[in-house]
Amino acid sequence: MMTLSLRLLFAVWLTAVSGRDIRNKQPNIVVVLADDYGFNDIGYHGSQIFTPNLDQLASDGVKLENYYVQPICSPTRSQLMSGRYQIHTGLQHGLINSGQPSALPLDNPTMADKMKEAGYATHMVGKWHLGYFKAEYMPFYRGFDTYYGYLTACENYTSHKRLYPHDGVAYLDLRDNNGPIYNESGHYSTHLFTEKAIHVVQAHDTSKPLFLYLAYQSVHAPLQVPGEYEKKYSHIQDEKRRTYAGMVSAMDEGMGNLTKALKEKGLWDNTILVFSTDNGGETYSGGNNFPLRGRKFTLWEGGLHGVGFVTGGRLPVKGLVNNELIHVSDWFPTLVGLAQGSLNGTKPLDGFDMWDTISRGTPSERTVLLHNIDPLFAKRGVPLYNDTFDTSVRAAVRVGDMKLITGDPGKGIWIPPPGESLDFHIEDDRQKSPEKNVWLFNITADPNEHHDLSDQMPDVVLSLLGYLEQFNETSVPPNWPHFDWRSSPARHGGVYGPWM
Ligand SMILES: *[C@@H]1O[C@H](CO)[C@@H](O)[C@H](O)[C@H]1NC(C)=O
Ligand SMILES: *[C@@H]1O[C@H](CO)[C@@H](O)[C@H](O)[C@H]1NC(C)=O
Ligand SMILES: *[C@@H]1O[C@H](CO)[C@@H](O)[C@H](O)[C@H]1NC(C)=O
Ligand SMILES: *[C@@H]1O[C@H](CO)[C@@H](O)[C@H](O)[C@H]1NC(C)=O
Ligand SMILES: *[C@@H]1O[C@H](CO)[C@@H](O)[C@H](O)[C@H]1NC(C)=O
Ligand SMILES: *[C@@H]1O[C@H](CO)[C@@H](O)[C@H](O)[C@H]1NC(C)=O
Ligand SMILES: *[C@@H]1O[C@H](CO)[C@@H](O)[C@H](O)[C@H]1NC(C)=O
């Protein structure tokens, strides 16, 4: 008996040790978020923009081709960091404006909190945009050991200043854990943030696993890039598109540099890297989502259907294209699960653990995706029915193949890259009938939203309205506080930062 149980114990111990060394070793996790990066702006989608590093990383990993984000910045970032829909955090309307005392509520632990709890060294570089009116909402109180970046939506890429609309003065928005950074004026942020991320990698103590969140400023407006990156695009006539293409190239180079640093440090083989955009491309600022319909800010696919892939030496599969429904809120349970962290203490999550889907191609557990319900957005038309969800309210939901849009989804035109023309003609029915407030598409059959089925399939419309009604019942009121004068950087040393 004794011998047997000792042997058993030994066997268990052996399995545990070898398991820990191979299968169960916590991976390094790197999440890279690009800003306003359009669906038609990555090489492997047939773009006119060259992205050799991103293409290589994606073809060494898994391209996510049925992948969704939110149509604007703070919302996507809030769901990435919390795993929860905006209707459950009060952030369902708009983005967090500088001067607005709003933030991702503290009762939502962030992905970084969970990684830290699981023993990770946690670092963030780049754009936060999840609120900063009080110090406790800043990245270093939300699970990140170190932070280097900016807090607001956008700014000048080299001066790192942002115009404060209420006095017309540009104030600094760049800081780390110790306070404002005054000496990086002239340093293009794609270079600066890549270098800071590389520094994190080089300085990393490998006795711990690494969690790095790099949220690039690229390729959001303003359109700015060192001249050398624009040179290879002299064939692009449109000036905005040409500069934007250069900005994408700089980011692509940065991804190459970061990958190289991870390899040189010996971390790559045990790394999972997620690359994602935060929303669709802004067609007014050089971005492009064609053949998808619409753009950033809209509930059309061009606003939501994002660029994303997973790569890294620790990924057990290579060269796959994944067509399962995956959403930005899924990263929270997926990556915390990979880190062997605990979901204890989180509020009910809206994300699903997608690891099996990504690494083995098993069907996604996600069959329903709430794109959003925004009760504060200007209503459109009158309710189609009185006994279910009010269709004048801006909302969208996906159930299986089908997507329902209500209210005002934003301008719904197809915008080819400048210089190219549409090879089809469809009128934007939104303009033709200003009262229309319901659209239904079979996204599987019609990913570019050419064929509105709402008249043909009223029962499907009703069924999806039922989903919206149910989601609406679980939502919290939107938090949309007034602008606060006390936020003025003029009162705080000329720097954006907490004011309460
Ligand atoms: C950014 O700041 C620099 C330095 O102040 C200035 O020369 C440049 O015009 C600014 N660019 C934009 C797009 O505002
Ligand atoms: C700015 O100051 C920091 C901290 O002293 C230093 O690490 C960095 O290299 C400086 N940057 C420049 C451009 O001098
Ligand atoms: C990438 O590294 C090269 C070589 O060090 C450097 O010249 C380039 O500026 C870096 N690019 C970015 C975007 O950081
Ligand atoms: C979960 O959290 C609660 C409250 O913080 C704590 O009492 C409990 O021990 C935790 N459970 C685990 C498994 O960590
Ligand atoms: C909904 O109610 C309003 C006000 O009672 C009424 O005018 C309208 O016809 C009703 N609409 C439908 C579709 O029943
Ligand atoms: C959502 O629920 C709230 C609270 O019950 C209700 O007042 C509102 O009318 C509902 N919205 C829609 C669009 O049905
Ligand atoms: C949507 O289109 C797909 C592909 O054509 C088809 O298989 C599916 O049955 C359609 N779904 C519905 C609900 O019509």
Side-chain angles (χ1 to χ4, degrees), residues 210-221:
L210 169 70
F211 173 59
L212 168 63
Y213 172 34
L214 169 58
Y216 272 121
Q217 178 173 3
S218 319
V219 286
H220 197 295

Side-chain angles (χ1 to χ4, degrees), residues 322-377:
N322 184 301
N323 289 310
E324 294 294 318
L325 186 61
I326 297 177
H327 181 240
V328 66
S329 63
D330 298 330
W331 295 123
F332 187 98
T334 304
L335 298 181
V336 173
L338 261 179
Q340 296 159 45
S342 148
L343 294 177
N344 191 11
T346 60
K347 298 194 146 195
L349 296 181
D350 296 307
F352 292 84
D353 185 338
M354 290 291 170
W355 189 242
D356 283 349
T357 304
I358 292 166
S359 63
R360 287 195 224 141
T362 57
S364 167
E365 261 186 79
R366 179 183 278 291
T367 52
V368 177
L369 168 54
L370 177 71
H371 291 305
N372 199 23
I373 299 173
D374 182 351
L376 298 186
F377 202 88

Side-chain angles (χ1 to χ4, degrees), residues 465-483:
L465 284 172
Y467 279 90
L468 284 177
E469 192 183 17
Q470 273 181 21
F471 275 120
N472 183 50
E473 275 166 22
T474 70
S475 81
V476 300
N479 179 32
W480 189 251
H482 289 299
F483 169 80

Side-chain angles (χ1 to χ4, degrees), residues 68-71 79 85-87 92 297-305 325 327 366-375 377 389-399 402-410 437-441 443 449 461 463-469 471-472:
Y68 285 82
V69 289
Q70 296 302 111
Q79 299 208 22
Y85 289 154
Q86 291 146 251
I87 58 162
Q92 57 269 59
F297 288 113
T298 73
L299 290 174
W300 305 104
E301 294 287 294
L304 303 163
H305 188 169
L325 186 61
H327 181 240
R366 179 183 278 291
T367 52
V368 177
L369 168 54
L370 177 71
H371 291 305
N372 199 23
I373 299 173
D374 182 351
F377 202 88
F389 189 80
D390 173 353
T391 59
S392 70
V393 171
R394 179 186 234 225
V397 69
R398 169 88 169 263
V399 180
M402 307 305 286
K403 174 186 180 187
L404 181 79
I405 306 176
T406 64
D408 183 357
N437 61 19
V438 176
W439 290 263
L440 180 74
F441 299 98
I443 296 295
E449 297 169 309
V461 169
S463 154
L464 267 61
L465 284 172
Y467 279 90
L468 284 177
E469 192 183 17
F471 275 120
N472 183 50

Side-chain angles (χ1 to χ4, degrees), residues 18 20 26 57 67 139 173 181 194 222 283 313 393 395 411 415 477 493:
S18 55
R20 195 161 56 234
Q26 289 169 301
L57 286 167
Y67 173 63
D173 184 6
I181 308 284
T194 303
T283 50
V393 171
K411 207 169 180 178
I415 307 162

Side-chain angles (χ1 to χ4, degrees), residues 11-12 19 30 51 59 99 105 118 120 126 194 232 253 268 296 393 418 424 444 454 456 462:
V12 168
V30 179
T51 56
S59 30
Y120 277 65
T194 303
K232 55 171 146 311
E253 183 185 274
W268 185 252
K296 178 188 182 182
V393 171
F424 58 84
T444 311
S454 61
Q456 277 153 262
L462 265 173

